[in-house]
Amino acid sequence: MEAIPSKKVKDALPTNAEIGRDYCNQLFKIEEGLKDLTPEERFYKRLDLEKPVLEAFWSWLYNLTVLNGSALGKAVTYAKNQKPYMENYLLDGKCSISNNAAENAIRPFTVGRKNWLFADTPKGAGA
C-alpha cells in the first residue's frame, strides 16, 4: 500500500503497486464467498478459484522490473521471500488467508507490555 502513489492522474493506467494490490483484493473477495463452506469444500474451491489467481500474481511479480531501493522494490522482494508461507493457507481449508485474528488476539498483551514498562513502582502502576 505504501508503494501506491498518493496523487494519481485521473484515468491513468493502474500502477504496478495498484496491480499487486488488486491481485490481493481478488483473493480476499474469493475468500469472502467461501466463508460459509466446510473446510473440505473450502480447500477444493481454493484450489479451483484462488490458486490460478496466485499463479498469475507470481508470474506477474517475477516478470516485474523494479528499483531495489524503492517502496515497490522492497514490497516485491518481501513477497518473493514470503512466497512459500503466503501459500500455506491453500494446504488446509481450516486455515485463514489472513493472520488478522491472531494479531487481534495478541494485541492486548503487546500494548500492555509497552504500558507495563512504566509500572516499575507502585505509584507508577497506579498512574
Side-chain angles (χ1 to χ4, degrees):
M1 294 301 293
E2 295 170 10
I4 296 174
S6 56
K7 293 182 181 178
K8 188 177 173 190
V9 177
K10 187 178 178 181
D11 298 328
L13 293 174
T15 64
N16 285 327
E18 290 170 320
I19 292 169
R21 179 210 50 211
D22 292 345
Y23 275 112
C24 293
N25 287 345
Q26 264 185 283
L27 292 169
F28 278 92
K29 186 174 182 176
I30 294 168
E31 198 65 24
E32 178 68 23
L34 305 180
K35 69 180 178 184
D36 295 328
L37 300 178
T38 66
E40 186 176 349
E41 292 171 324
R42 190 177 308 115
F43 169 76
Y44 289 111
K45 284 288 191 182
R46 282 177 175 168
L47 294 179
D48 288 342
L49 302 173
E50 294 182 30
K51 192 165 184 178
V53 175
L54 278 165
E55 289 171 354
F57 170 73
W58 294 120
S59 176
W60 168 80
L61 191 73
Y62 280 99
N63 288 305
L64 194 60
T65 304
V66 295
L67 296 172
N68 287 336
S70 68
L72 182 60
K74 291 176 185 177
V76 167
T77 300
Y78 177 81
K80 287 178 180 178
N81 290 338
Q82 298 301 313
K83 181 181 178 182
Y85 313 110
M86 291 172 73
E87 294 184 344
N88 272 342
Y89 80 101
L90 293 175
L91 302 175
D92 189 337
K94 292 179 275 187
C95 292
S96 174
I97 189 173
S98 168
N99 70 342
N100 284 344
E103 295 274 346
N104 289 335
I106 66 169
R107 183 165 288 118
F109 299 105
T110 57
V111 171
R113 182 181 60 216
K114 187 175 180 182
N115 293 334
W116 298 325
L117 291 173
F118 299 102
D120 58 348
T121 66
K123 190 173 181 179

